[in-house]
Structures are given as structure tokens and as C-alpha cells.
């Protein structure tokens, strides 16, 4: 079965909104767009590249699809990720789009959770959920996330959309690998293992 992997940039206080630029996602007047690049370093790029080695598709919500489809088709071919992002398959979950034009893109139809369950049963390698905060929330509620691959950057913003927002389904995690970069970013990979257990020190 293919794994659904949530891969995203986070601040130390869990914000995932608009890491790539000031105009990426200004929803709710978010004033901190573009926070990721100043906190990144070469080791972060190498880790992210490695995280794509066992995946052959992305699962995207509408907003992230629009951002990516507006950038990658005309991006510099010399950029390390250009060929990969354009070449891999993209599955798009949206209630408003009627078509998707970026190469190798497929619009999921019907109930998103059911479509993703069917997708997990298809032939292929793992599937990365990139950005797509609303979609990630849906997948978490439906227990469809198999793994998290997170870069946790040394910055606190105090506001913005969070990956693990109020109402997130309680989930137990098993560390696969947790390392740090010289610049202070934590590279964390966790596998979901079901419900948390509870105990007492008394």
C-alpha cells in the first residue's frame, strides 16, 4: 500500500502558512509570508531532496496547486527541483476546480477521503502532501496520514495557520529520524502508530 506522507515547513510554534513568500498566502492578513528562506540552509535542501527519493507523486489542495502550477512550469530548468516537480504526478483535491492543466495532474473527484483511500491502494511509490494545510487537516481527521516529514525552523511567529491546530485528532508517533542542521533547523520524520497511550508518574 502506498503511504501518505505530510511534508511541510514549520516554525517552532507550528505555523505552516506562507513559508515561500509574502504573497503566497496572505489569508487573514498574515504578515509573515516568506519566513522560511531566511531560516533555511543547505542541509535543509539536501534533506528535502532525500525525502522525495521514495515518492513519485504529490497530493495537493487547491491553494498549493495554484501556487505550484503558477511557478514550476516556467521555473528555471537549472533549479534542482524543477524537473522533479514538473515530472512527478500531481493529485489535486478541490471542490472548486473543474480542470487541472499542469502536466501530469489529476483532479480527484467525489469525497476526498474516499478518493485518497482508493489512491493508497493503487500501484506506485509513496505520495507527498506538500503544504495544503486544509487538505492535511482532512487527512488527519480521517486517519489517512502514515508519516510526517517536517522541517522545524528556528523562528517564532505567534500567528498563522498551524499544521496541528485545535481539534487535531490525537495520534501516537514513532520517530524514524530526528536530526538538526548547523543553522538550527530540526529535520524530523515520524511514523503514525495509532492512538496515544496514557500513564502517570504517581
Amino acid at each position: 500500500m502506498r503511504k501518505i506522507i505530510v511534508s511541510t515547513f514549520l516554525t517552532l510554534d507550528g505555523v505552516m502558512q506562507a513559508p515561500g513568500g509574502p504573497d503566497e498566502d496572505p489569508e487573514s492578513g498574515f504578515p509573515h509570508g516568506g519566513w522560511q528562506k531566511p531560516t533555511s540552509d543547505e542541509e535543509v535542501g539536501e534533506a528535502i531532496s532525500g525525502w522525495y527519493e521514495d515518492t513519485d507523486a504529490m497530493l495537493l489542495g487547491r491553494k498549493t496547486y495554484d501556487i505550484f502550477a503558477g511557478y514550476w512550469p516556467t521555473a528555471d530548468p537549472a533549479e534542482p527541483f524543477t524537473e522533479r516537480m514538473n515530472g512527478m504526478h500531481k493529485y489535486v483535491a478541490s471542490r472548486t476546480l473543474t480542470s487541472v492543466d499542469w502536466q501530469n495532474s489529476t483532479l480527484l473527484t467525489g469525497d476526498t477521503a474516499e478518493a485518497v483511500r482508493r489512491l493508497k491502494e493503487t500501484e506506485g511509490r509513496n505520495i507527498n502532501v506538500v503544504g495544503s494545510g486544509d487538505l492535511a487537516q482532512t487527512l488527519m481527521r480521517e486517519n489517512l496520514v502514515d508519516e510526517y516529514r517536517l522541517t522545524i525552523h528556528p523562528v517564532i511567529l505567534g500567528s498563522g495557520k498551524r499544521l496541528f491546530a485545535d481539534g487535531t485528532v490525537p495520534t501516537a508517533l514513532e520517530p524514524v529520524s530526528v536530526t538538526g542542521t548547523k543553522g538550527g533547523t530540526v529535520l524530523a520524520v515520524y511514523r503514525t502508530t495509532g492512538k496515544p497511550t496514557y500513564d502517570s508518574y504517581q
Side-chain angles (χ1 to χ4, degrees), residues 180-197:
T181 73
K182 293 178 181 178
T185 295
V186 176
L187 309 172
V189 179
Y190 296 103
R191 184 181 300 120
T192 60
T193 60
K195 298 296 183 182
T197 57

Side-chain angles (χ1 to χ4, degrees), residues 158-182:
S159 66
K161 299 175 187 175
R162 288 172 166 79
L163 177 61
F164 303 113
D166 289 347
T168 297
V169 174
T171 305
L173 302 173
E174 175 185 41
V176 177
S177 66
V178 181
T179 60
T181 73
K182 293 178 181 178

Side-chain angles (χ1 to χ4, degrees), residues 30-42:
F30 184 65
H32 306 295
W35 56 264
Q36 188 264 338
K37 186 175 181 180
T39 68
S40 195
D41 54 42
E42 186 174 316

Side-chain angles (χ1 to χ4, degrees), residues 4 6 16 132-145 148 162-165 167-171 192 195:
I4 299 295
V6 170
M16 66 179 298
S132 306
D134 292 341
L135 173 60
Q137 298 295 321
T138 297
L139 300 176
M140 288 189 282
R141 283 195 302 271
E142 297 290 335
N143 294 313
L144 287 169
V145 178
Y148 294 94
R162 288 172 166 79
L163 177 61
F164 303 113
T168 297
V169 174
T171 305
T192 60
K195 298 296 183 182

Side-chain angles (χ1 to χ4, degrees), residues 81-101:
F81 269 81
T82 299
E83 182 177 357
R84 176 174 289 173
M85 297 296 277
N86 286 319
M88 76 166 43
H89 205 98
K90 280 76 69 172
Y91 298 99
V92 185
S94 171
R95 291 185 295 269
T96 57
L97 292 176
T98 58
S99 64
V100 284
D101 300 324

